[in-house]
Amino acid sequence: MNAEVGNVIVLVLLGVLALAVGGCVCVVWAERGGPRWVRAVATMTLAAGEVVRRSEKNRRPGLNGTTSDDG
């Protein structure tokens, strides 16, 4: 991997991290009664988290401790 591709990957990951941290800040701020745009960003952040959570459950059945071959 050359240095330019590595730099692009690092920048993308830093952007994703900044979006995640910003979303969390908006969720906390919205709980304290922030402006309308903050509540909108908080709603989108919570919805995205729910989508990720549900996709994990659908992708990996059996992690809840029960399997079909117990017994």
Side-chain angles (χ1 to χ4, degrees), residues 17-69:
L17 179 63
L19 286 173
V21 169
C24 292
V25 168
C26 285
V27 168
V28 172
W29 191 5
E31 285 291 317
R32 296 174 179 261
R36 187 176 7 190
W37 68 268
V38 171
R39 293 192 299 268
V41 172
T43 300
M44 289 187 294
T45 301
L46 293 172
E50 186 63 30
V51 167
V52 170
R53 197 173 312 126
R54 287 185 183 185
S55 70
E56 280 294 315
K57 286 181 182 177
N58 291 339
R59 243 188 355 196
R60 297 198 225 176
L63 286 182
N64 59 3
T66 61
T67 58
S68 61
D69 57 349

